[in-house]
Amino acid sequence: MYDEFKQLMQTELTEIGISLDDKQIGQFYQYYELLMEWNKVMNLTTITEWEDVVTKHMVDSLSLIKAIPELSTSQASVMDLGTGAGFPGIPLKIAFPGLHITMLDSLNKKVNFLKEVMKQLELENITAIHGRAEDYGREKKYREQYDYCVSRAVANLSTLAEYCMPYVKIGGMFISYKSGKMEEELAQAKGAIKLLGGKTEQVIAFTLPGGDAERSLICIHKLESTSKLYPRKAGLPGKEPLK
Ligand code: SAH
């Protein structure tokens, strides 16, 4: 099973220009095993076929390289907002160990899972914190401290921009993983993005290796500091997205 896992990872990662050594592939396999073990007792993922975990979770997370080609040598700071079972934060750390990663989630049991993964895989310069995006985003220790804030499958783009933009340094980028069709969502979020100090720079659309999932990475450059008015109090960005 490990050999097949290794082969699929290598084949798919070659397609997006990433090559990993045996230690890294071993870490991905360990992560897969922990995910399946903990998934028996808590809700971490509905994707459980190993081939799907490889493509739809692991390789998908690493497709960020299409937006940031220098990732493999980068020492950038990255906030992964609403990380869940660790996507994309854990795959990014395994593949690009120079990154400094913070993973945030509002469910403590997921944060406990992540702590176990970080320990077992002996990952460094990565932390998992428990709480809401709207609360940490107002704290000095986190506000405008990150080169990148990334987020996958957490909220609509307008809500997500209010969650994410406060974390990004001026000159940094907020990158949202979205499915293929996102034009309408992007059009609706334009006002919010501008209000929060951002500008849509680029949408990178592609098909994931394996061929059956469309992916868009929406890259928003932060040009100006985010007003102290944002994020609004917990719950509001979701309930009444900025227009
Ligand atoms: N990024 C992961 C998980 C997506 S599920 C993946 O792609 O697989 C969305 C996650 O975001 C959940 O774990 C949920 O607890 C978290 N979340 C939703 N709203 C949040 C908020 N306001 N602050 C922090 N975490 C949040």
Side-chain angles (χ1 to χ4, degrees), residues 57 82-84 87 105-107 110 131-134 152-154 163:
H57 279 330
T83 186
F87 301 107
D105 204 278
S106 53
L107 284 181
K110 293 188 179 174
R132 290 196 63 120
E134 301 95 310
R152 192 185 85 146
V154 173
Y163 289 165

Side-chain angles (χ1 to χ4, degrees), residues 72-124:
S72 49
T73 55
S74 174
Q75 309 218 331
S77 50
V78 182
M79 165 61 77
D80 174 13
L81 198 143
T83 186
F87 301 107
I90 297 278
L92 290 172
K93 182 69 207 180
I94 297 173
F96 311 119
L99 295 174
H100 292 73
I101 297 186
T102 304
M103 298 176 290
L104 166 64
D105 204 278
S106 53
L107 284 181
N108 202 29
K109 55 187 182 175
K110 293 188 179 174
V111 171
N112 288 336
F113 166 71
L114 294 171
K115 287 185 175 158
E116 183 64 18
V117 171
M118 293 186 290
K119 191 169 123 196
Q120 299 252 341
L121 273 59
E122 300 181 0
L123 301 176
E124 286 169 5

